[in-house]
Structures are given as structure tokens and as C-alpha cells.
Amino acid sequence: MSWNVYGHEWAVQLLQQHIAGQEVRHAYLFTGPTGVGRRALALRFAQALNCPTPLTPGQPCGACRTCEQIERMQHTDLSVVQAEGPGGTLKVEQVRDLQHTLSLLPYQAPYRVALLLRFQEANANAQNALLKTLEEPPEHVVLLLTADSAESLLPTVASRCEVLRLRSLAVAELERLLRDEQYLPAEEARLLAHLASGRPGYALRLHRHPEVLQQRREVLDEMIDLLGA
């Protein structure tokens, strides 16, 4: 069952059941705090939908060219739409360009998958523009949206998606996963689990980018010096 998505086994099982039972919805909305694993879950689902050599229905091989390209968000039949940066604005022109792409048949995979990241950053015009696709989706298209919460989107958008609400793990559970599954030293696993407040994606990001932790240490040192002054 594992998609290497920590703490959201129930969501993995649900999505695998949709694939195995040929009951894939036309649109899914993954919600939760930044770093909880929304994008990772969406990418695993895209792999499971389009992997040409699945181990079982809904279980991508993770090693074929399709899976690797989707992991890098570079597959021909995967469209990624997002604001230029966190806190930016996803604009209506981006949605209209996406709709043109989705009107075409898949190039090599069973589905064209649209991944709309941080969709709470889409302005009202962009969200309204997406409604047409949500209401009349092409048969070969699956839309995957991520957002902080369903309530951060227009009700008309959220109501047309299958909503999966992802939650942070207990800090102790994340610490165990980092130690036992990622083989991190116990001290590092404990620190990252606490800093990430139970968000697996954010904890792994800190592990892979130690310069971020170094910046944190420098800021704390500056604060201590200021307090002493």
C-alpha cells in the first residue's frame, strides 16, 4: 500500500481503491498545512494513474521513465500550475492556458493530469475560470489541487472536488518515522520532528537542506546577543 507518503495511509488506501475500482474522480483537493505532504501525495497519485508497469492496481513501480518524470514534474501529460512563488498570485491567464492543454488528448499516458499547487493563491477570476473544467471535465483529465483548506477556496470550486484533509502527525510519531524509515540519527529525528510540528514534508526538507537549519541557528544566536545587549 505504501507510496512513501508518511502519516496518510488512509488517503493512499482511498486513492488506490479509486484506481483499482475504476472509480477515479475528475478532481481531487488535498488540503492541510504547508509541508504536511499535499504535493507528495498528489504526485504519487499521478504516478499510480499513469505508470505503465504498476506492481498492482494503484501501486506505481516508481522506477520507470514515466514515474521518474512525474516525480520531477516534467512529464508530457502532467501540467503544473502555481503562482510564481509562495505568497504570489495564480492568475486567470494560467488557468486558460491550462484549459487549452487539457482539451488535447494525452500524448502517451492514460490521463492528462493537472497539478494546481497552492490554489488558495489563485485570484477569484482564476478560480471562476476553472469552474468550467470542473463542471465539464474531459474524460481523459484528472485535476489535482492543493490548498491550505477547502474554506480558502470558492465554495463552488471545493464542492466539485473530492476533498482529502491531511493533518500533521503527532511529533513522537514523526520522530519515529524519521528514525526508523529514514534512518536519521535519534537526536536529529527528534529535533526535526519538533521544528516541523509533525509535518513530514517540512521535516524532510530541513534534513535535505541543512543550510536552512544553519540560518535558524544564526538567527537564534543573533537574538541571544541582542538579549544580552
Side-chain angles (χ1 to χ4, degrees), residues 219-229:
V219 169
L220 289 175
D221 288 343
E222 290 178 6
M223 292 178 64
I224 291 172
D225 290 342
L226 288 171
L227 288 171

Side-chain angles (χ1 to χ4, degrees), residues 167-213:
R167 294 178 173 81
S168 301
L169 280 66
V171 172
E173 175 65 10
L174 178 55
E175 178 185 341
R176 185 192 66 77
L177 288 170
L178 293 173
R179 187 180 63 245
D180 297 347
E181 301 290 339
Q182 292 293 316
Y183 307 108
L184 270 60
E187 184 176 348
E188 182 182 2
R190 185 179 305 110
L191 173 64
L192 296 184
H194 279 83
L195 291 179
S197 300
R199 294 171 292 166
Y202 186 53
L204 291 173
R205 198 174 307 149
L206 290 175
H207 170 66
R208 292 164 184 160
H209 298 281
E211 68 276 7
V212 177
L213 281 177

